[in-house]
Protein backbone atom coordinates (compact mmCIF):
# COMPACT_ATOMS: atom_id res chain seq x y z
CA UNK A 1 0.00 0.00 0.00
CA UNK A 2 0.98 3.64 -0.51
CA UNK A 3 -0.04 6.40 1.86
CA UNK A 4 -0.03 9.95 0.50
CA UNK A 5 0.54 12.04 3.59
CA UNK A 6 2.27 15.03 5.11
CA UNK A 7 4.41 14.59 8.26
CA UNK A 8 2.49 17.41 9.98
CA UNK A 9 -0.99 16.57 8.72
CA UNK A 10 -2.67 15.19 11.89
CA UNK A 11 -5.11 13.10 9.86
CA UNK A 12 -2.18 11.45 8.08
CA UNK A 13 -0.63 10.71 11.48
CA UNK A 14 -3.88 9.06 12.60
CA UNK A 15 -3.75 6.72 9.59
CA UNK A 16 -0.04 5.98 10.11
CA UNK A 17 -0.75 4.98 13.72
CA UNK A 18 -3.73 2.86 12.69
CA UNK A 19 -1.83 0.99 9.97
CA UNK A 20 1.16 0.47 12.23
CA UNK A 21 -0.96 -0.87 15.11
CA UNK A 22 -2.32 -3.42 12.64
CA UNK A 23 1.15 -4.33 11.38
CA UNK A 24 0.54 -2.78 7.95
CA UNK A 25 3.50 -0.81 6.62
CA UNK A 26 2.62 1.43 3.68
CA UNK A 27 5.14 3.20 1.48
CA UNK A 28 4.88 6.88 2.41
CA UNK A 29 4.53 9.52 -0.31
CA UNK A 30 4.86 13.09 0.98
CA UNK A 31 2.38 15.53 -0.57
CA UNK A 32 2.45 19.30 -0.36
CA UNK A 33 -1.27 19.63 -1.02
CA UNK A 34 -1.10 23.35 -1.80
CA UNK A 35 0.88 22.47 -4.96
CA UNK A 36 -2.21 20.63 -6.27
CA UNK A 37 -0.15 18.01 -8.13
CA UNK A 38 -2.31 16.74 -11.04
CA UNK A 39 -1.56 13.04 -10.37
CA UNK A 40 -2.62 13.53 -6.75
CA UNK A 41 -5.86 15.27 -7.78
CA UNK A 42 -6.58 12.27 -10.02
CA UNK A 43 -6.37 10.05 -6.91
CA UNK A 44 -8.51 12.39 -4.84
CA UNK A 45 -10.34 15.32 -6.45
CA UNK A 46 -10.59 16.96 -3.02
CA UNK A 47 -6.78 17.16 -3.03
CA UNK A 48 -6.36 16.53 0.71
CA UNK A 49 -4.13 14.19 2.70
CA UNK A 50 -4.27 11.37 3.66
CA UNK A 51 -5.05 9.12 0.71
CA UNK A 52 -4.41 5.37 0.97
CA UNK A 53 -3.75 3.53 -2.29
CA UNK A 54 -4.01 -0.25 -2.52
CA UNK A 55 -1.54 -2.21 -4.67
CA UNK A 56 -4.27 -2.53 -7.35
CA UNK A 57 -4.57 1.27 -7.53
CA UNK A 58 -7.82 1.59 -5.54
CA UNK A 59 -7.68 4.91 -3.66
CA UNK A 60 -9.34 5.64 -0.32
CA UNK A 61 -9.38 9.32 0.72
CA UNK A 62 -9.65 10.85 4.17
CA UNK A 63 -8.88 9.68 7.71
CA UNK A 64 -12.45 8.71 8.65
CA UNK A 65 -13.13 6.85 5.40
CA UNK A 66 -9.77 5.06 5.57
CA UNK A 67 -10.63 4.02 9.14
CA UNK A 68 -13.95 2.51 8.02
CA UNK A 69 -12.31 0.90 4.99
CA UNK A 70 -9.51 -0.76 6.97
CA UNK A 71 -12.05 -2.00 9.50
CA UNK A 72 -14.26 -3.46 6.76
CA UNK A 73 -11.43 -5.09 4.84
CA UNK A 74 -9.13 -6.20 7.68
CA UNK A 75 -10.75 -5.41 11.04
CA UNK A 76 -12.30 -8.80 11.70
CA UNK A 77 -8.91 -10.54 11.54
CA UNK A 78 -7.59 -8.60 14.55
CA UNK A 79 -10.04 -10.08 17.06
CA UNK A 80 -9.48 -8.51 20.48
CA UNK A 81 -7.07 -5.97 19.03
CA UNK A 82 -9.71 -4.58 16.65
CA UNK A 83 -9.75 -0.82 17.16
CA UNK A 84 -13.32 -0.22 15.96
CA UNK A 85 -15.20 -2.60 18.25
CA UNK A 86 -17.99 -4.89 17.04
CA UNK A 87 -20.64 -3.85 19.60
CA UNK A 88 -22.95 -1.20 18.10
CA UNK A 89 -22.95 1.03 21.17
CA UNK A 90 -19.17 0.87 21.47
CA UNK A 91 -18.78 1.67 17.77
CA UNK A 92 -20.81 4.86 18.21
CA UNK A 93 -18.66 5.91 21.17
CA UNK A 94 -15.40 5.22 19.30
CA UNK A 95 -16.65 7.09 16.23
CA UNK A 96 -17.93 9.97 18.37
CA UNK A 97 -14.55 10.48 20.01
CA UNK A 98 -12.53 9.88 16.84
CA UNK A 99 -14.68 12.60 15.20
CA UNK A 100 -14.21 14.80 18.28
CA UNK A 101 -10.48 14.88 17.56
CA UNK A 102 -10.45 14.51 13.76
CA UNK A 103 -13.07 17.25 13.33
CA UNK A 104 -13.48 19.41 16.43
CA UNK A 105 -9.94 19.40 17.88
CA UNK A 106 -8.62 19.80 14.32
CA UNK A 107 -10.74 22.88 13.73
CA UNK A 108 -10.12 24.42 17.15
CA UNK A 109 -6.48 23.47 17.79
CA UNK A 110 -4.33 21.40 15.45
CA UNK A 111 -5.33 22.90 12.09
CA UNK A 112 -4.73 26.54 13.06
CA UNK A 113 -1.44 25.77 14.87
CA UNK A 114 0.02 23.62 12.06
CA UNK A 115 -1.20 26.06 9.41
CA UNK A 116 0.12 29.18 11.09
CA UNK A 117 3.42 27.77 12.37
CA UNK A 118 4.40 25.25 9.68
CA UNK A 119 2.45 25.29 6.43
CA UNK A 120 2.48 29.08 6.01
CA UNK A 121 6.29 28.99 5.90
CA UNK A 122 6.29 26.66 2.92
CA UNK A 123 3.26 27.90 1.02
CA UNK A 124 3.74 30.55 -1.65
CA UNK A 125 2.10 33.81 -0.64
CA UNK A 126 -0.60 33.49 -3.33
CA UNK A 127 -1.75 30.22 -1.73
CA UNK A 128 -1.95 31.68 1.76
CA UNK A 129 1.71 31.62 2.84
CA UNK A 130 3.24 34.38 4.95
CA UNK A 131 3.78 35.33 8.58
CA UNK A 132 1.74 33.55 11.28
CA UNK A 133 -1.51 35.07 12.54
CA UNK A 134 -0.81 35.43 16.26
CA UNK A 135 -4.50 35.80 17.12
CA UNK A 136 -5.28 32.38 15.59
CA UNK A 137 -2.35 30.87 17.52
CA UNK A 138 -3.52 32.37 20.82
CA UNK A 139 -7.07 31.10 20.30
CA UNK A 140 -5.83 27.57 19.55
CA UNK A 141 -3.56 27.61 22.61
CA UNK A 142 -6.53 28.57 24.78
CA UNK A 143 -8.72 25.85 23.23
CA UNK A 144 -6.24 23.02 23.82
CA UNK A 145 -6.75 23.33 27.58
CA UNK A 146 -10.39 22.27 27.62
CA UNK A 147 -9.62 19.35 25.33
CA UNK A 148 -6.98 18.11 27.79
CA UNK A 149 -9.51 18.44 30.60
CA UNK A 150 -12.01 16.44 28.55
CA UNK A 151 -9.45 13.67 28.02
CA UNK A 152 -8.74 13.66 31.75
CA UNK A 153 -12.47 13.53 32.52
CA UNK A 154 -13.05 10.57 30.17
CA UNK A 155 -10.15 8.66 31.71
CA UNK A 156 -11.56 8.93 35.22
CA UNK A 157 -13.87 6.04 34.37
CA UNK A 158 -12.02 4.38 31.52
CA UNK A 159 -8.75 2.69 30.68
CA UNK A 160 -8.60 4.21 27.19
CA UNK A 161 -10.59 7.13 25.77
CA UNK A 162 -13.58 5.18 24.47
CA UNK A 163 -13.55 2.27 26.94
CA UNK A 164 -11.46 -0.66 28.07
CA UNK A 165 -9.41 -1.04 24.95
CA UNK A 166 -7.23 1.04 22.67
CA UNK A 167 -9.38 2.34 19.80
CA UNK A 168 -9.48 4.78 16.90
CA UNK A 169 -10.42 7.41 19.49
CA UNK A 170 -7.00 7.19 21.20
CA UNK A 171 -5.15 7.18 17.90
CA UNK A 172 -7.04 10.23 16.64
CA UNK A 173 -6.48 12.16 19.88
CA UNK A 174 -2.79 11.24 20.03
CA UNK A 175 -2.21 12.02 16.34
CA UNK A 176 -3.56 15.56 16.67
CA UNK A 177 -1.92 16.19 20.03
CA UNK A 178 1.45 15.00 18.69
CA UNK A 179 1.46 17.76 16.06
CA UNK A 180 0.68 20.35 18.72
CA UNK A 181 3.28 18.83 21.06
CA UNK A 182 5.97 19.12 18.35
CA UNK A 183 5.27 22.86 18.35
CA UNK A 184 5.49 23.04 22.16
CA UNK A 185 1.87 24.15 22.52
CA UNK A 186 0.49 21.43 24.82
CA UNK A 187 0.29 22.73 28.42
CA UNK A 188 1.03 19.37 30.05
CA UNK A 189 0.54 20.81 33.55
CA UNK A 190 -3.17 21.29 32.74
CA UNK A 191 -4.25 17.71 33.41
CA UNK A 192 -2.13 14.98 34.96
CA UNK A 193 -4.43 12.15 33.80
CA UNK A 194 -4.22 13.33 30.20
CA UNK A 195 -0.43 13.51 30.47
CA UNK A 196 -0.22 9.94 31.79
CA UNK A 197 -2.48 8.69 28.99
CA UNK A 198 -0.31 10.44 26.37
CA UNK A 199 2.87 8.99 27.90
CA UNK A 200 1.31 5.54 27.60
CA UNK A 201 0.33 5.88 23.94
CA UNK A 202 3.56 7.68 23.04
CA UNK A 203 5.51 4.65 24.28
CA UNK A 204 3.87 2.30 21.79
CA UNK A 205 6.03 1.07 18.89
CA UNK A 206 3.50 2.57 16.42
CA UNK A 207 4.44 6.02 17.70
CA UNK A 208 8.20 5.75 17.09
CA UNK A 209 8.21 6.88 13.43
CA UNK A 210 6.21 9.99 14.39
CA UNK A 211 8.65 10.89 17.15
CA UNK A 212 11.53 10.68 14.66
CA UNK A 213 9.98 13.38 12.42
CA UNK A 214 11.82 16.70 12.29
CA UNK A 215 11.38 19.70 10.04
CA UNK A 216 14.36 21.86 8.99
CA UNK A 217 14.07 25.28 10.58
CA UNK A 218 11.31 24.20 12.99
CA UNK A 219 12.90 22.06 15.73
CA UNK A 220 10.63 19.93 17.91
CA UNK A 221 9.85 21.00 21.47
CA UNK A 222 12.35 19.74 24.05
CA UNK A 223 10.05 16.97 25.25
CA UNK A 224 8.48 15.96 21.90
CA UNK A 225 10.37 12.68 21.57
CA UNK A 226 10.93 12.22 25.32
CA UNK A 227 8.93 9.29 26.73
CA UNK A 228 9.43 10.67 30.28
CA UNK A 229 8.20 14.21 29.68
CA UNK B 1 -36.84 8.09 17.78
CA UNK B 2 -36.13 11.76 18.46
CA UNK B 3 -33.97 13.91 16.21
CA UNK B 4 -32.45 17.02 17.74
CA UNK B 5 -32.02 19.29 14.72
CA UNK B 6 -32.24 22.79 13.36
CA UNK B 7 -34.33 23.48 10.21
CA UNK B 8 -31.35 25.25 8.59
CA UNK B 9 -28.60 22.90 9.77
CA UNK B 10 -27.66 21.08 6.54
CA UNK B 11 -26.40 18.03 8.45
CA UNK B 12 -29.78 17.77 10.18
CA UNK B 13 -31.46 17.93 6.77
CA UNK B 14 -29.25 15.07 5.54
CA UNK B 15 -30.42 12.89 8.45
CA UNK B 16 -34.08 13.87 7.93
CA UNK B 17 -33.85 12.82 4.28
CA UNK B 18 -32.11 9.57 5.18
CA UNK B 19 -34.66 8.60 7.84
CA UNK B 20 -37.56 9.56 5.60
CA UNK B 21 -36.21 7.55 2.64
CA UNK B 22 -36.13 4.56 5.00
CA UNK B 23 -39.66 5.20 6.24
CA UNK B 24 -38.46 6.17 9.73
CA UNK B 25 -40.28 9.17 11.18
CA UNK B 26 -38.52 10.68 14.20
CA UNK B 27 -40.04 13.27 16.50
CA UNK B 28 -38.20 16.51 15.72
CA UNK B 29 -36.75 18.61 18.54
CA UNK B 30 -35.47 22.01 17.43
CA UNK B 31 -32.18 23.04 19.06
CA UNK B 32 -30.59 26.47 19.00
CA UNK B 33 -27.11 25.11 19.64
CA UNK B 34 -25.64 28.50 20.60
CA UNK B 35 -27.83 28.44 23.73
CA UNK B 36 -25.88 25.37 24.93
CA UNK B 37 -28.91 23.85 26.68
CA UNK B 38 -27.55 21.64 29.51
CA UNK B 39 -29.82 18.66 28.69
CA UNK B 40 -28.63 18.80 25.09
CA UNK B 41 -24.97 18.89 26.16
CA UNK B 42 -25.66 15.79 28.25
CA UNK B 43 -26.78 14.01 25.07
CA UNK B 44 -23.80 15.28 23.07
CA UNK B 45 -20.90 17.05 24.79
CA UNK B 46 -19.92 18.56 21.42
CA UNK B 47 -23.26 20.40 21.48
CA UNK B 48 -23.87 20.18 17.74
CA UNK B 49 -26.89 19.14 15.67
CA UNK B 50 -27.99 16.59 14.57
CA UNK B 51 -28.31 14.09 17.42
CA UNK B 52 -30.52 11.02 17.00
CA UNK B 53 -31.94 9.51 20.19
CA UNK B 54 -33.36 5.98 20.24
CA UNK B 55 -36.48 5.23 22.34
CA UNK B 56 -34.18 3.62 24.97
CA UNK B 57 -32.24 6.90 25.32
CA UNK B 58 -29.17 5.85 23.32
CA UNK B 59 -27.82 8.98 21.58
CA UNK B 60 -25.98 9.05 18.26
CA UNK B 61 -24.32 12.38 17.38
CA UNK B 62 -23.38 13.80 13.98
CA UNK B 63 -24.53 13.21 10.40
CA UNK B 64 -21.75 10.82 9.39
CA UNK B 65 -21.99 8.72 12.55
CA UNK B 66 -25.80 8.60 12.34
CA UNK B 67 -25.43 7.44 8.71
CA UNK B 68 -23.13 4.58 9.74
CA UNK B 69 -25.34 3.71 12.71
CA UNK B 70 -28.56 3.54 10.68
CA UNK B 71 -26.78 1.43 8.08
CA UNK B 72 -25.46 -0.97 10.73
CA UNK B 73 -28.74 -1.29 12.61
CA UNK B 74 -31.28 -1.14 9.74
CA UNK B 75 -29.43 -1.00 6.40
CA UNK B 76 -29.53 -4.71 5.58
CA UNK B 77 -33.33 -4.79 5.71
CA UNK B 78 -33.64 -2.32 2.80
CA UNK B 79 -32.08 -4.63 0.20
CA UNK B 80 -31.86 -2.82 -3.15
CA UNK B 81 -32.92 0.46 -1.56
CA UNK B 82 -29.95 0.45 0.87
CA UNK B 83 -28.26 3.83 0.49
CA UNK B 84 -24.81 2.76 1.69
CA UNK B 85 -24.13 -0.11 -0.73
CA UNK B 86 -22.63 -3.44 0.34
CA UNK B 87 -19.78 -3.56 -2.18
CA UNK B 88 -16.55 -2.25 -0.59
CA UNK B 89 -15.54 -0.11 -3.55
CA UNK B 90 -19.00 1.41 -3.83
CA UNK B 91 -19.04 2.14 -0.08
CA UNK B 92 -15.82 4.14 -0.40
CA UNK B 93 -17.25 6.15 -3.30
CA UNK B 94 -20.50 6.87 -1.43
CA UNK B 95 -18.60 7.88 1.70
CA UNK B 96 -16.15 9.99 -0.31
CA UNK B 97 -18.97 12.00 -1.90
CA UNK B 98 -21.07 12.21 1.26
CA UNK B 99 -17.97 13.63 2.99
CA UNK B 100 -17.40 15.96 0.01
CA UNK B 101 -20.72 17.63 0.77
CA UNK B 102 -20.95 17.13 4.55
CA UNK B 103 -17.39 18.43 5.08
CA UNK B 104 -16.04 20.34 2.07
CA UNK B 105 -19.22 21.92 0.65
CA UNK B 106 -20.26 22.71 4.24
CA UNK B 107 -17.00 24.53 4.94
CA UNK B 108 -16.87 26.33 1.60
CA UNK B 109 -20.54 27.10 0.97
CA UNK B 110 -23.41 26.08 3.23
CA UNK B 111 -21.88 26.83 6.64
CA UNK B 112 -20.82 30.43 5.84
CA UNK B 113 -24.11 31.24 4.04
CA UNK B 114 -26.37 29.83 6.76
CA UNK B 115 -24.24 31.36 9.51
CA UNK B 116 -24.05 34.82 7.98
CA UNK B 117 -27.61 35.06 6.67
CA UNK B 118 -29.63 33.11 9.26
CA UNK B 119 -27.88 32.15 12.49
CA UNK B 120 -26.24 35.54 13.07
CA UNK B 121 -29.71 37.13 13.22
CA UNK B 122 -30.75 34.92 16.10
CA UNK B 123 -27.51 34.62 18.02
CA UNK B 124 -26.80 37.08 20.81
CA UNK B 125 -23.88 39.36 19.91
CA UNK B 126 -21.63 37.74 22.55
CA UNK B 127 -22.00 34.38 20.80
CA UNK B 128 -21.15 35.74 17.36
CA UNK B 129 -24.45 37.34 16.34
CA UNK B 130 -24.61 40.58 14.36
CA UNK B 131 -24.67 41.85 10.79
CA UNK B 132 -23.58 39.48 7.99
CA UNK B 133 -19.98 39.45 6.76
CA UNK B 134 -20.43 40.25 3.06
CA UNK B 135 -16.94 39.01 2.18
CA UNK B 136 -17.75 35.53 3.54
CA UNK B 137 -21.02 35.54 1.59
CA UNK B 138 -19.31 36.53 -1.66
CA UNK B 139 -16.67 33.80 -1.24
CA UNK B 140 -19.32 31.13 -0.61
CA UNK B 141 -21.33 32.32 -3.64
CA UNK B 142 -18.22 31.94 -5.81
CA UNK B 143 -17.45 28.48 -4.40
CA UNK B 144 -20.91 27.06 -5.07
CA UNK B 145 -20.30 27.27 -8.84
CA UNK B 146 -17.49 24.72 -8.96
CA UNK B 147 -19.47 22.32 -6.79
CA UNK B 148 -22.38 22.49 -9.27
CA UNK B 149 -19.91 21.80 -12.09
CA UNK B 150 -18.56 18.82 -10.16
CA UNK B 151 -22.09 17.43 -9.71
CA UNK B 152 -22.70 17.90 -13.43
CA UNK B 153 -19.40 16.18 -14.27
CA UNK B 154 -20.20 13.18 -12.04
CA UNK B 155 -23.63 12.79 -13.63
CA UNK B 156 -22.23 12.57 -17.15
CA UNK B 157 -21.42 8.93 -16.46
CA UNK B 158 -23.82 8.11 -13.64
CA UNK B 159 -27.51 7.99 -12.85
CA UNK B 160 -27.00 9.27 -9.30
CA UNK B 161 -23.95 10.97 -7.77
CA UNK B 162 -22.12 7.85 -6.58
CA UNK B 163 -23.39 5.36 -9.16
CA UNK B 164 -26.56 3.69 -10.42
CA UNK B 165 -28.59 4.12 -7.27
CA UNK B 166 -29.66 6.84 -4.89
CA UNK B 167 -27.19 6.94 -1.99
CA UNK B 168 -26.05 8.96 1.01
CA UNK B 169 -24.03 11.02 -1.48
CA UNK B 170 -27.18 12.39 -3.15
CA UNK B 171 -28.88 13.06 0.17
CA UNK B 172 -25.86 14.92 1.54
CA UNK B 173 -25.49 17.04 -1.61
CA UNK B 174 -29.20 17.83 -1.77
CA UNK B 175 -29.42 18.61 1.96
CA UNK B 176 -26.66 21.22 1.78
CA UNK B 177 -27.82 22.65 -1.54
CA UNK B 178 -31.39 22.99 -0.20
CA UNK B 179 -30.21 25.37 2.54
CA UNK B 180 -28.34 27.47 -0.02
CA UNK B 181 -31.32 27.35 -2.40
CA UNK B 182 -33.63 28.66 0.35
CA UNK B 183 -31.37 31.71 0.50
CA UNK B 184 -31.46 32.14 -3.29
CA UNK B 185 -27.72 31.57 -3.64
CA UNK B 186 -27.65 28.62 -6.07
CA UNK B 187 -26.87 29.85 -9.61
CA UNK B 188 -28.97 27.23 -11.38
CA UNK B 189 -27.88 28.46 -14.82
CA UNK B 190 -24.34 27.23 -14.03
CA UNK B 191 -24.94 23.56 -14.86
CA UNK B 192 -28.05 22.13 -16.51
CA UNK B 193 -27.22 18.54 -15.49
CA UNK B 194 -26.91 19.51 -11.84
CA UNK B 195 -30.24 21.35 -12.06
CA UNK B 196 -31.99 18.31 -13.53
CA UNK B 197 -30.54 16.06 -10.81
CA UNK B 198 -31.74 18.46 -8.10
CA UNK B 199 -35.23 18.63 -9.66
CA UNK B 200 -35.32 14.83 -9.51
CA UNK B 201 -34.32 14.56 -5.85
CA UNK B 202 -36.44 17.56 -4.86
CA UNK B 203 -39.53 15.74 -6.21
CA UNK B 204 -39.10 12.80 -3.84
CA UNK B 205 -41.61 12.52 -0.96
CA UNK B 206 -38.69 12.65 1.54
CA UNK B 207 -38.02 16.23 0.42
CA UNK B 208 -41.52 17.60 1.06
CA UNK B 209 -41.07 18.45 4.75
CA UNK B 210 -37.89 20.41 3.91
CA UNK B 211 -39.67 22.41 1.21
CA UNK B 212 -42.38 23.37 3.73
CA UNK B 213 -39.83 25.01 6.06
CA UNK B 214 -40.01 28.78 6.36
CA UNK B 215 -38.34 31.21 8.73
CA UNK B 216 -40.06 34.38 9.91
CA UNK B 217 -38.30 37.41 8.45
CA UNK B 218 -36.26 35.33 5.97
CA UNK B 219 -38.61 34.22 3.17
CA UNK B 220 -37.46 31.41 0.87
CA UNK B 221 -36.28 32.19 -2.64
CA UNK B 222 -39.06 32.28 -5.25
CA UNK B 223 -38.20 28.82 -6.60
CA UNK B 224 -37.26 27.08 -3.31
CA UNK B 225 -40.40 24.95 -3.09
CA UNK B 226 -41.09 24.95 -6.85
CA UNK B 227 -40.55 21.51 -8.40
CA UNK B 228 -40.38 23.12 -11.90
CA UNK B 229 -37.73 25.72 -11.16
Amino acid sequence: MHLHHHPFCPHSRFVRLLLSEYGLEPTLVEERVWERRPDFLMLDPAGATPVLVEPNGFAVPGATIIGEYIDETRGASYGDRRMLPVDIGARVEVRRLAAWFNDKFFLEVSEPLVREKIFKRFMPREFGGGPPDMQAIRAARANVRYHLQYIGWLLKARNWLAGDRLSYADLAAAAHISCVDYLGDVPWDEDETARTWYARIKSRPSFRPLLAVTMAGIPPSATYADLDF
Side-chain angles (χ1 to χ4, degrees), chain A:
Chain A
M1 291 191 292
H2 284 72
L3 181 69
H4 295 256
H5 83 122
H6 188 281
F8 289 97
C9 159
H11 296 115
S12 299
R13 288 183 170 219
F14 164 73
V15 175
R16 289 176 69 181
L17 289 173
L18 152 56
L19 296 177
S20 177
E21 286 288 338
Y22 279 167
L24 303 165
E25 296 295 345
T27 303
L28 297 174
V29 183
E30 184 171 328
E31 289 290 342
R32 290 170 296 278
V33 294
W34 54 87
E35 294 180 355
R36 299 185 64 73
R37 200 169 60 84
D39 283 356
F40 183 58
L41 292 176
M42 290 282 285
L43 279 179
D44 174 29
T49 50
V51 177
L52 183 70
V53 184
E54 291 275 22
N56 67 3
F58 184 68
V60 186
T64 303
I65 298 175
I66 293 170
E68 297 291 341
Y69 173 78
I70 291 290
D71 188 67
E72 287 175 348
T73 52
R74 280 101 167 166
S77 66
Y78 291 98
D80 271 4
R81 291 172 49 228
R82 189 172 187 168
M83 291 183 295
L84 185 57
V86 176
D87 174 75
I88 293 279
R91 283 174 95 77
V92 169
E93 184 63 353
V94 168
R95 286 184 178 125
R96 179 181 81 81
L97 289 167
W100 182 286
F101 291 97
N102 278 332
D103 300 343
K104 189 176 171 66
F105 187 94
F106 178 67
L107 205 71
E108 294 174 358
V109 183
S110 54
E111 194 278 330
L113 288 174
V114 169
R115 172 177 24 96
E116 297 302 328
K117 291 184 151 192
I118 300 180
F119 289 163
K120 272 180 146 185
R121 288 205 187 190
F122 299 101
M123 289 160 79
R125 190 167 275 272
E126 65 268 31
F127 296 126
D133 171 348
M134 288 311 294
Q135 202 180 340
I137 290 175
R138 272 193 299 271
R141 280 181 179 153
N143 290 336
V144 72
R145 292 189 177 270
Y146 91 83
H147 286 285
L148 290 177
Q149 291 163 12
Y150 187 50
I151 289 172
W153 181 83
L154 288 168
L155 291 166
K156 277 188 190 152
R158 295 173 176 183
N159 191 28
W160 293 100
L161 289 186
D164 285 344
R165 289 201 301 229
L166 182 77
S167 76
Y168 285 3
D170 301 280
L171 303 188
H176 287 264
I177 287 171
S178 73
C179 289
V180 179
D181 195 36
Y182 184 96
L183 297 168
D185 287 328
V186 182
W188 285 117
D189 55 351
E190 180 71 30
D191 193 290
E192 182 59 23
T193 314
R195 205 180 62 78
T196 309
W197 161 83
Y198 189 64
R200 223 172 357 133
I201 197 161
K202 193 178 174 177
S203 305
R204 298 179 72 85
S206 63
F207 232 82
R208 266 180 228 147
L210 300 186
L211 299 181
V213 167
T214 56
M215 177 66 83
I218 309 172
S221 64
T223 57
Y224 174 67
D226 182 359
L227 299 181
D228 268 327
F229 61 107

